[in-house]
Amino acid sequence: NAGVTQTPKFQVLKTGQSMTLQCAQDMNHEYMSWYRQDPGMGLRLIHYSVGAGITDQGEVPNGYNVSRSTTEDFPLRLLSAAPSQTSVYFCASRNQRDTGELFFGEGSRLTVL
Amino acid sequence: SQQGEEDPQALSIQEGENATMNCSYKTSINNLQWYRQNSGRGLVHLILIRSNEREKHSGRLRVTLDTSKKSSSLLITASRAADTASYFCVGRAGGTSYGKLTFGQGTILTVHP
């Protein structure tokens, strides 16, 4: 089992560019989510999804879009990158009917110049 | 949302000593989970304690939960240099809440050889 796979691991963007962070899981988890982690801020929830076709906002959704067309994939889109979006992004998933243990990817480090 | 706030922010000990980290949360929970994050990696689930449990053990880990005080503690006994990591707690509400799981800033544990 690969678990939760995030790509790319590193990315450098210029202000105003767009990109998509990919997240895929092979555990048939209904719940998937995106967090960003900044020094001194802990992990903050951006968006989450409880199943295909269903998404909702977390704490810090502005500047990010998500969609969930399949159970396996939950991409995070930055339409117009800003320096404030420089961060490490983590995707996490869990079985909705389980105890709630989250499985995390290894992270994607994004720098916006 | 369910939240965890860890205390202290940083803890430095010698190998072989015990490490205790505390967690507080704001809303009623169904369970509370602890996670570990090694530098540059994703979070890994350590242990889960349910609201009807007061103490739980897993190897060198001991977790306590006091729902009246909305607090939990994580004890790592006989610490090793490999335990050096950040530790996070998060409480999850039950019922139909799909869980906007939000994490605190974590406790940075450094274990000196």
Side-chain angles (χ1 to χ4, degrees):
Chain A
N1 269 350
V4 179
T5 303
Q6 291 184 233
T7 56
K9 293 191 185 314
F10 301 94
Q11 183 71 50
V12 178
L13 291 177
K14 294 181 180 178
T15 297
Q17 287 185 319
S18 63
M19 79 156 299
T20 299
L21 298 177
Q22 302 290 346
C23 176
Q25 53 89 12
D26 60 0
M27 297 172 282
N28 203 31
H29 285 170
E30 299 92 342
Y31 179 94
M32 296 184 74
S33 56
W34 278 101
Y35 290 86
R36 60 177 289 174
Q37 185 175 33
D38 303 291
M41 299 292 292
L43 281 85
R44 292 182 290 171
L45 182 65
I46 305 172
H47 285 286
Y48 67 100
S49 169
V50 299
I54 306 170
T55 64
D56 205 347
Q57 297 181 347
E59 295 177 88
V60 289
N62 292 340
Y64 307 95
N65 283 350
V66 292
S67 59
R68 185 92 180 270
S69 57
T70 67
T71 299
E72 294 78 19
D73 301 299
F74 190 44
L76 179 71
R77 297 183 185 86
L78 286 72
L79 298 180
S80 180
S84 61
Q85 293 178 303
T86 294
S87 187
V88 181
Y89 292 84
F90 289 97
C91 179
S93 71
R94 74 164 187 260
N95 185 334
Q96 197 72 314
R97 297 171 186 79
D98 207 332
T99 53
E101 174 186 349
L102 278 169
F103 294 81
F104 282 82
E106 289 297 301
S108 297
R109 184 175 295 272
L110 175 66
T111 301
V112 183
L113 303 175
Chain B
S1 64
Q2 299 85 61
Q3 190 172 26
E5 292 292 339
E6 299 84 359
D7 174 67
Q9 290 189 343
L11 183 60
S12 182
I13 60 173
Q14 295 297 124
E15 207 166 30
E17 294 180 339
N18 295 342
T20 299
M21 289 158 271
N22 302 299
C23 167
S24 61
Y25 56 92
K26 297 181 179 178
T27 62
S28 295
I29 59 170
N30 192 38
N31 68 56
L32 186 132
Q33 303 167 40
W34 285 89
Y35 290 80
R36 182 186 73 208
Q37 182 183 32
N38 290 97
S39 181
R41 307 295 297 274
L43 278 70
V44 175
H45 184 264
L46 289 177
I47 192 167
L48 178 151
I49 185 166
R50 291 184 170 79
S51 60
N52 61 354
E53 298 175 310
R54 292 296 168 261
E55 188 171 311
K56 195 166 183 178
H57 296 253
S58 177
R60 293 184 296 112
L61 305 179
R62 181 173 77 96
V63 171
T64 62
L65 180 64
D66 187 336
T67 53
S68 66
K69 295 182 179 178
K70 290 187 169 58
S71 67
S72 172
S73 68
L74 172 67
L75 168 68
I76 304 174
T77 60
S79 63
R80 305 166 182 169
D83 295 326
T84 294
S86 294
Y87 292 82
F88 297 86
C89 70
V90 61
R92 184 190 179 195
T96 57
S97 168
Y98 286 106
K100 287 187 179 184
L101 293 180
T102 54
F103 293 77
Q105 296 183 31
T107 292
I108 301 172
L109 173 65
T110 304
V111 182
H112 300 281

